[in-house]
Amino acid sequence: MSADGFTPSPPPGARADWTIDQSWETYSRAEHDVWITLYDRQTAMLQGRACDAFLQGLDALDLHRSGIPDFGRINEELQRLTGWSVVAVPGLVPDDVFFDHLANRRFPAGQFIRKPDELDYLQEPDIFHDVFGHVPMLTDPTFADYMQAYGRGGQRALDLGRLANLARLYWYTVEFGLMRTDAGLRIYGAGIVSSRAESLFALDDPSPNRIGFDLERVMRTPYRIDDFQQAYVVIDSIQTLQEVTLQDFAPIYQRLEGADDIGIAEILPGDTVFTRGTQAYARAGGRLASTPG
Ligand code: HBI
Ligand code: FE
């Protein structure tokens, strides 16, 4: 049951769980070429930027430049590694459907790919965001456990009316997370690693804050859905996410009842600060004001 007690029915052609066949053989040459362009662009810049687990996952799944991967092929290796599989969906699915898939180690990936004139930014997650961005990390057993726990936690958050808080946890980790390593900060968030401009901005730009992970603090911090983040949250290791899954969220949700949101660009006295950002990019109007990256 979703937050408002009503779950829309699946679109025509989709099954009750909103999955569809990937129909890999129907992708056109042009669609494969978009994948290749994006894949070449990202892999050319991610050495020294993406975390080891991501790069190892890319290799393990043999995601390569020949074109859009066939989920049937990826799933053989992915299931062997962590029991996860990728399932095709037409686009965004209702929250409760999304959580049910994650809770059963199924990652719903958009079946479509962006158009050549949308290379840099698109509203809805397409197959490149989902499969290149999210799936490699699912080869890491600890991260794989975290994603399943997120699915279970999402179902519970829906029942408790705390979805907004849990969505922030997902956003600042799975989508836009950074990790501290001996060699410096590295990317593990899918929204960053699948975007050339944000892979640069998230690590190099003086504009955003970069602060240490704290579960309750993250759950009180809003995020941007339309532009680069004004704050990035840094975990010490993937183990940090494992520890999150071991916590009982009920007392945290209780405390959140009376807690105000924290300003998106605010830095608190208790924060571990990696970068006290200038917020110059956001103040200048962000994507809308700047020339395309
Ligand atoms: N559906 N296909 C798809 N992919 C997502 O990332 C997704 C979704 N539905 C809901 C959702 N994400 C978020 O609202 C939840 O994380 C809260
Ligand atoms: Fe995503």
Side-chain angles (χ1 to χ4, degrees):
M1 187 67 81
S2 66
D4 59 4
F6 163 72
T7 294
S9 54
R15 289 178 277 268
D17 63 1
W18 286 64
T19 58
I20 56 175
D21 294 335
Q22 183 191 11
S23 304
W24 180 80
E25 65 291 342
T26 63
Y27 290 118
S28 68
R29 182 70 254 152
E31 288 169 316
H32 283 294
D33 287 347
V34 169
W35 173 279
I36 290 167
T37 303
L38 292 168
Y39 183 88
D40 285 350
R41 239 171 49 169
Q42 287 314 99
T43 49
M45 68 177 306
L46 287 176
Q47 293 300 333
R49 284 183 182 276
C51 69
D52 290 346
F54 177 87
L55 296 171
Q56 285 154 16
L58 218 45
D59 288 343
L61 297 177
D62 199 19
L63 290 186
H64 40 62
R65 63 177 316 280
S66 63
I68 295 171
D70 182 338
F71 292 177
R73 186 184 59 73
I74 300 180
N75 286 339
E76 280 164 27
E77 183 61 14
L78 186 59
Q79 276 160 357
R80 193 183 63 76
L81 287 169
T82 57
W84 275 83
S85 47
V86 189
V87 291
V89 289
L92 288 176
V93 304
D95 293 335
D96 57 332
V97 172
F98 183 64
F99 295 132
D100 183 63
H101 281 301
L102 297 189
N104 290 284
R105 295 206 173 215
R106 292 188 302 265
F107 188 80
Q111 186 270 349
F112 70 100
I113 193 160
R114 67 193 76 178
K115 298 285 174 280
D117 63 355
E118 295 178 303
L119 288 189
D120 285 310
Y121 186 73
L122 76 165
Q123 273 298 343
E124 188 156 344
D126 72 337
I127 194 165
F128 188 77
H129 169 94
D130 281 327
V131 174
F132 183 89
H134 282 281
V135 174
M137 288 300 292
L138 290 175
T139 63
D140 176 279
T142 304
F143 192 84
D145 290 350
Y146 174 68
M147 284 293 278
Q148 179 174 34
Y150 178 82
R152 291 183 175 141
Q155 292 166 321
R156 187 132 173 274
L158 274 176
D159 298 340
L160 298 172
R162 303 305 318 180
L163 179 59
N165 298 113
L166 193 79
R168 288 167 174 175
L169 174 62
Y170 187 84
W171 203 263
Y172 279 114
T173 56
V174 178
E175 290 296 355
F176 292 96
L178 298 180
M179 182 188 305
R180 181 198 334 218
T181 75
D182 297 341
L185 300 188
R186 292 292 181 268
I187 301 163
Y188 71 96
I192 307 176
V193 83
S194 59
S195 155
R196 173 171 64 177
E198 195 150 8
S199 293
L200 296 168
F201 181 86
L203 290 182
D204 304 342
D205 201 288
S207 182
N209 296 336
R210 296 177 184 87
I211 55 175
F213 177 85
D214 171 282
L215 178 59
E216 207 158 320
R217 193 251 195 259
V218 165
M219 284 186 156
R220 293 176 54 201
T221 308
Y223 53 80
R224 297 296 297 267
I225 59 164
D226 57 347
D227 208 338
F228 297 158
Q229 298 308 311
Q230 293 183 254
Y232 293 94
V233 173
V234 182
I235 58 174
D236 284 333
S237 73
I238 300 177
Q239 205 55 35
T240 305
L241 300 178
Q242 175 98 54
E243 286 146 23
V244 166
T245 68
L246 303 177
Q247 296 196 40
D248 174 9
F249 282 17
I252 298 176
Y253 286 149
Q254 281 296 325
R255 287 196 294 276
L256 287 171
E257 287 284 342
D260 294 332
D261 281 355
I262 296 166
I264 190 167
E266 195 179 339
I267 288 185
L268 303 181
D271 281 339
T272 300
V273 181
F274 293 83
T275 310
R276 189 175 295 276
T278 65
Q279 299 300 334
Y281 173 82
R283 262 210 304 278
R287 174 189 317 278
L288 304 180
S290 66
T291 49

